[in-house]
Amino acid sequence: MEPKAKLLFVDDEERIVNLLRTMFRADYEVVTATSGRQALELIASGDIDVIVSDQRMPEMVGIELLSEVRKRSPATMRILLTGYSDLAAIVGSVNDGEVFRFISKPWDHEEIKGIIGEAAQAARATRDAALELPQPAAPSASAEAMQPELLVIDDNAADRQVMAKAIGGDYKVHGASSIAEALQVIEQRDIGVIVAEARVGGDDTGQLLRVLKQHHPSITTVMLTNAADADIVIKLINQAQIFRFATKPIRSGVFQLAVSAAMKEHQRFRTSPALLKRHRVARASEPEDPSFAASVVRSLGGLRMRLSSLLR
């Protein structure tokens, strides 16, 4: 019989880790820590499938811990737990720790059980792939033609120009000022990375990104943010698996790093399709517009066939 998945809960409050141990010990092997230092010792001593860390802890906050775990144990699925809405912490949890989910305190028991169950399954299914480094492709005459392209979705033409200038030397960049234009580009071009504002032309891009991640999870997303709306960011982390966040006004060096990391992740998906299981999106917290989702799926039929051939 396959051994139980191993969970590590980290919180400086003993009562919290004791409660979580009680909730999960029947179905998982559970270990706990009350500091980041203790957690890293446990990470070093054995394979941890899922780590759930609180954000506010003395000495080492949750973001710092998950960032270290990503470096030391990349196969471990990372979840951040917090009881307050701090946009900097939330964005940092994505950019530095690459979290699978963000869970707010107080949590819903069934929800947290479902999230950890998904994370444990993904960890077991993708452990070997997550540990593998992508092999550099052999150079070829057609390499440039096969390079995935980048789409910037922003209704501000000046901002699109700034971003295209920052990354245009490295990638073929397309611009879109509306969701309709974005769908046309995605259908016709081999898009690997999307850079998007949260709202474009008055429309919420969140549903587009959720549908794309559900049907084409190899596309990675860099979300632009200039407003301290933690609720929107949390929703995008959980429901659209945003890979990186970048701030406006654009800082060229930081933006280039975010896009480069996103493209490398997309290339990893092409090399190791099993990794896509680690980026399953959460169920939408509000009812989806079925007509919108259906229109996205219909318009992306060609993209599905193209990506399927590339990911075989």
Side-chain angles (χ1 to χ4, degrees):
M1 188 171 71
E2 186 178 2
K4 294 179 179 180
K6 192 171 184 179
L7 312 181
L8 168 57
F9 293 109
V10 190
D11 196 304
D12 61 315
E13 293 188 52
E14 191 77 39
R15 65 179 183 83
I16 297 293
V17 292
N18 287 339
L19 173 59
L20 289 166
R21 181 193 291 114
T22 301
M23 286 176 59
F24 289 95
R25 64 187 176 188
D27 299 312
Y28 303 93
E29 181 182 351
V30 179
V31 292
T32 64
T34 54
S35 69
R37 177 185 55 78
Q38 292 177 356
L40 291 176
E41 290 174 356
L42 290 167
I43 287 287
S45 66
D47 291 336
I48 301 294
D49 293 299
V50 181
I51 179 171
V52 181
S53 175
D54 187 40
Q55 166 61 10
R56 278 190 170 176
M57 297 187 295
E59 299 179 11
M60 182 184 296
V61 296
I63 294 171
E64 295 171 333
L65 171 59
L66 296 184
S67 179
E68 280 300 310
V69 171
R70 181 171 67 90
K71 297 172 189 174
R72 302 184 189 196
S73 179
T76 300
M77 300 292 287
R78 299 168 294 277
I79 296 172
L80 189 70
L81 182 67
T82 188
Y84 71 110
S85 294
D86 180 335
L87 185 67
I90 298 165
V91 169
S93 72
V94 176
N95 290 354
D96 299 330
E98 293 182 7
V99 297
F100 174 67
R101 290 284 188 274
F102 189 101
I103 301 176
S104 298
K105 289 181 177 177
W107 62 76
D108 176 272
H109 279 37
E110 293 306 313
E111 180 184 25
I112 194 173
K113 286 180 178 179
I115 289 171
I116 289 177
E118 284 185 25
Q121 289 176 1
R124 287 299 178 93
T126 63
R127 176 167 291 279
D128 292 339
L131 294 171
E132 293 173 0
L133 293 175
Q135 296 300 313
S140 69
S142 61
E144 184 176 346
M146 295 175 62
Q147 174 73 17
E149 299 170 5
L150 192 139
L151 170 62
V152 176
I153 310 174
D154 195 317
D155 54 11
N156 186 307
D159 285 346
R160 291 201 308 273
Q161 257 188 338
V162 169
M163 289 182 275
K165 184 177 179 180
I167 55 179
D170 299 316
Y171 310 102
K172 175 70 174 176
V173 180
H174 303 275
S177 60
S178 68
I179 289 177
E181 286 182 14
L183 287 172
Q184 290 179 352
V185 175
I186 295 168
E187 183 178 9
Q188 296 168 6
R189 307 300 303 184
D190 181 12
I191 300 299
V193 173
I194 291 176
V195 178
E197 273 274 18
R199 296 193 69 83
V200 175
D203 295 322
D204 180 4
T205 59
Q207 187 172 3
L208 170 65
L209 298 177
R210 286 196 299 272
V211 174
L212 278 174
K213 202 63 181 175
Q214 288 167 352
H215 295 274
H216 306 291
S218 66
I219 294 177
T220 52
T221 305
V222 177
M223 176 60 66
L224 300 169
T225 179
N226 57 6
D229 193 334
D231 291 337
I232 290 176
V233 173
I234 291 171
K235 183 173 72 172
L236 289 168
I237 292 170
N238 290 346
Q239 297 176 18
Q241 283 289 288
I242 301 302
F243 181 70
R244 287 285 188 274
F245 282 91
T247 58
K248 280 189 171 184
I250 296 297
R251 291 182 292 166
S252 182
V254 175
F255 182 65
Q256 288 171 347
L257 288 173
V259 170
S260 175
M263 188 61 79
K264 287 178 182 176
E265 185 75 350
H266 175 74
Q267 295 284 23
R268 286 189 77 203
F269 292 150
R270 291 193 172 192
T271 305
S272 303
L275 288 173
L276 296 174
K277 296 177 182 177
R278 299 175 68 87
H279 295 265
R280 186 176 301 163
V281 297
R283 183 176 300 173
S285 56
E286 67 280 338
E288 293 277 7
D289 178 350
S291 61
F292 176 82
S295 68
V296 172
V297 173
R298 280 197 306 270
S299 68
L300 300 182
L303 175 64
R304 180 184 293 108
M305 289 188 292
R306 186 164 62 249
L307 288 179
S308 295
S309 66
L310 289 167
L311 293 171
R312 281 174 189 155

